[in-house]
Amino acid sequence: MADETHWVGVEDTIEDPEELRVIFNALDSYLQYGRHAHFNFTHTRRQAFYALPEVHWKRLAAPPFNYLDTLEKVDEAIDSNSELARCIVRTGLPSFVNVPPGQEHPSLPPQWAGCAKNQDIDKARSTIRQFYRDWSAAGASEREACYGPIMRVLLAEKASKSPESGNLKVLVPGAGLGRLVFELCLNGFDTEGNEISYHQLLASAYILNCCERAGQHTVYPWIHGFSNHRSRANQLRGYPVPDVHPSTEFARENPGQPLGTMSMVAADFLCLYSDEAHAETYDAVATVFFLDTAPNLIRYLETIFHCLKPGGMLVNNGPLLWHFENSHPGSRGDADGETDTTGIADPGTFELTDDEVMALVQQVGFEVLDRQTGLEAPYIHDAESMLQTVYRASSWMARKPLTAVRVKNNATANEPRFP
C-alpha cells in the first residue's frame, strides 16, 4: 500500500466538486468530533444536573455517586478518542491538499472549515467506536464470529489448490476499517478491499499505514450513551488500539506462509466492478455485513457474478438489516431536482427475507453449496450492558459454475445480464 493516498480510486474524482465536498465533510467531521461530543455528552448534562434542586444535585455530587467526577472522566475519554480522530485527519489531509511542513494540528482550507453536518459527525463517532470491533484485542470474539466463517471457507479453498496455481485473488466489498483485508493478506491471499465511505477509508488508511505502534491509542466506545450500564467502570472502559501493528506484521518473515498482496480501492462497488475490466477477475468475493447495504440486491449479486472467475466463490456472513428500508435512495435529489441514478443511488429498493435472498442467489446463477443460519454475530457489542442486541447471521457459500456464460454489461433492463 505504497500509493500516496493509501488507496486507489481517488485520482479521477478529487477534481469533482461534489466528491471534494464529501471528502472534506469526512475530514472536518473528525476534527469536530471532540467539540461536538463534549457539548452533547457532558456540557448539556452539567446544565441539566445544576437545574436540579440544590439538595438533589449536591447529593449526587457526593460519594458514592460522584456524578460530576463521572462527567470529568467522560471528557477525558472524549479527548482520547479525539486524539485518534486528529491523527486520522493529520495523515489523510495531505492526500488532498498541500500541508505546511511540521504542522502539528491539522486544519482544513478555510472554505472547508466547519463544513461537516451532524450526520457526518455521527459517522465519525461511529467509526471511532468501530475501532473496538476491528482493531482491539477485546474485539477478537466479534471478529471470530463475523470473519471466522469467511476465513475458514477461504483457507479450505486455498488448501484444495496446488501451490503452483498461485495465491487466490479475493475481493472484499464494504471493507470498512480493513481488518479482514489485513488478515486475508497475512494468510497468503491477494486481497483487494473496496469501500465507498471516506470516513472508513481515512480511518483504515491511518491504522494500516501510518500508526506507529500497537496500542498507540485508547478508544472509549461506550461513553456516548449513559443508559443500561451496570457500573461507571463499565461505561468508562478503554481499549488499546491497534492490537497489532500492521507494518510490523507485514515485515515478519514467515517462510511457511508467504504474504499476499493488499490494496484498498475507493469507489462505488457497482460502478467500478461491473465494468469490462473487472470481468472474471477474482477467485472469491467475501461479503461480511455487506449484502444488506444494497437498495437493489439483484445488482449487487449480478456484479459479484460478473467479476468472479468461473468456479469462483461468493462467501457471505451477516444479517439482513436493510439499510435503505426507510430511506429510498432514488428519492434523494439535488437542488435542481435531478436524481443520481448510478451505483447505490439507483432508484427503487426492496427488502427480502433470508430464504428469498437464497432463492435470488440461485436465480442469478450461483450454486449454493453450504449454508448455516442463526449464527450469533455481535456488532460493536458491549457484553456488560444491561441491553443485549446480537444478530443471528446467515452464513453461506455459493459458487459460480465453471460453465457460466458471461455477458457484457450492456444489457437493457428487460434483458437478463447473466443467464
Side-chain angles (χ1 to χ4, degrees):
M1 296 187 71
D3 185 84
E4 290 182 357
T5 61
H6 309 305
W7 57 77
V8 180
V10 299
E11 298 86 351
D12 300 325
T13 60
I14 58 176
E15 298 302 322
D16 177 10
E18 177 60 22
E19 192 77 5
L20 279 175
R21 183 188 66 79
V22 174
I23 291 168
F24 281 103
N25 279 356
L27 288 164
D28 186 55
S29 70
Y30 281 117
L31 292 181
Q32 288 200 48
Y33 160 78
R35 179 180 61 82
H36 193 269
H38 283 306
F39 179 82
N40 285 283
F41 301 118
T42 57
H43 176 71
T44 56
R45 278 189 168 79
R46 286 188 179 94
Q47 290 182 317
F49 183 79
Y50 284 119
L52 292 168
E54 183 177 1
V55 66
H56 291 175
W57 71 253
K58 285 187 173 179
R59 174 185 292 185
L60 295 173
F65 309 104
N66 301 312
Y67 193 76
L68 292 173
D69 290 344
T70 293
L71 297 183
E72 290 287 344
K73 291 175 181 176
V74 171
D75 277 328
E76 293 170 3
I78 290 171
D79 288 340
S80 182
N81 288 350
S82 296
E83 175 56 28
L84 171 58
R86 284 192 296 271
C87 285
I88 290 170
V89 177
R90 189 179 300 121
T91 56
L93 188 60
S95 298
F96 308 104
V97 296
N98 292 323
V99 177
Q103 184 184 71
E104 183 176 349
H105 300 290
S107 60
L108 304 187
Q111 67 269 33
W112 296 111
C115 63
K117 304 297 187 290
N118 286 340
Q119 182 179 8
D120 302 306
I121 300 168
D122 287 344
K123 291 178 181 177
R125 182 170 64 250
S126 176
T127 304
I128 290 169
R129 293 180 69 241
Q130 193 172 328
F131 276 92
Y132 162 78
R133 169 184 171 85
D134 273 0
W135 291 102
S136 79
S141 59
E142 281 200 18
R143 295 194 296 273
E144 170 56 28
C146 298
Y147 304 152
I150 302 289
M151 188 68 73
R152 286 188 286 275
V153 170
L154 291 177
L155 287 173
E157 181 76 357
K158 179 183 175 183
S160 71
K161 305 293 184 181
S162 66
E164 292 75 20
S165 61
N167 292 345
L168 294 180
K169 190 170 184 180
V170 181
L171 172 64
V172 182
L177 295 187
R179 185 62 185 250
L180 179 58
V181 174
F182 168 76
E183 295 292 349
L184 287 168
C185 177
L186 289 184
N187 280 276
F189 296 94
D190 292 340
T191 313
E192 181 175 317
N194 163 242
E195 181 57 59
I196 193 173
S197 165
Y198 279 106
H199 286 86
Q200 302 279 327
L201 287 162
L202 290 162
S204 65
Y206 171 69
I207 208 71
L208 288 168
N209 297 283
C210 304
C211 190
E212 296 176 356
R213 65 182 187 277
Q216 181 174 345
H217 301 279
T218 301
V219 295
Y220 294 84
W222 321 126
I223 58 170
H224 306 108
F226 280 69
S227 299
N228 289 310
H229 294 293
R230 288 195 176 93
S231 70
R232 290 300 177 198
N234 288 337
Q235 181 186 11
L236 295 167
R237 279 170 295 160
Y239 303 91
V241 296
D243 59 316
V244 296
H245 185 225
S247 296
T248 300
E249 296 302 312
F250 289 143
R252 292 186 190 279
E253 291 188 12
N254 187 359
Q257 178 60 74
L259 291 176
T261 60
M262 183 175 72
S263 62
M264 288 285 283
V265 179
D268 182 315
F269 170 70
L270 294 178
C271 292
L272 179 61
Y273 293 98
S274 61
D275 68 10
E276 186 65 19
H278 289 87
E280 298 184 356
T281 300
Y282 303 95
D283 297 288
V285 174
T287 55
V288 182
F289 281 63
F290 175 72
L291 294 183
D292 55 5
T293 68
N296 183 345
L297 183 59
I298 296 173
R299 289 205 61 196
Y300 265 32
L301 293 173
E302 286 180 341
T303 300
I304 293 169
F305 194 93
H306 167 76
C307 68
L308 278 172
K309 298 175 183 178
M313 299 189 305
L314 166 56
V315 191
N316 177 74
N317 188 34
L320 292 176
L321 179 64
W322 296 106
H323 286 212
F324 291 99
E325 180 174 359
N326 298 309
S327 176
H328 304 299
S331 66
R332 296 199 307 264
D334 61 22
D336 298 322
E338 296 294 328
T339 300
D340 185 358
T341 58
T342 60
I344 64 168
D346 279 353
T349 64
F350 61 89
E351 301 83 31
L352 299 180
T353 67
D354 192 44
D355 286 344
E356 291 168 340
V357 168
M358 302 315 301
L360 183 59
V361 168
Q362 294 175 82
Q363 282 194 6
V364 168
F366 287 99
E367 297 175 356
V368 178
L369 301 181
D370 183 60
R371 181 189 181 200
Q372 293 178 282
T373 60
L375 301 181
E376 286 197 3
Y379 194 90
I380 315 181
H381 174 66
D382 179 4
E384 301 300 323
S385 173
M386 297 169 71
L387 174 65
Q388 297 293 310
T389 302
V390 178
Y391 293 106
R392 299 283 185 176
S394 179
S395 182
W396 45 267
M397 186 271 278
R399 196 179 292 277
K400 179 177 178 176
L402 287 169
T403 56
V405 177
R406 184 176 66 85
V407 178
K408 292 183 179 180
N409 285 339
N410 57 4
T412 68
N414 296 321
E415 295 174 328
R417 187 171 298 164
F418 303 106

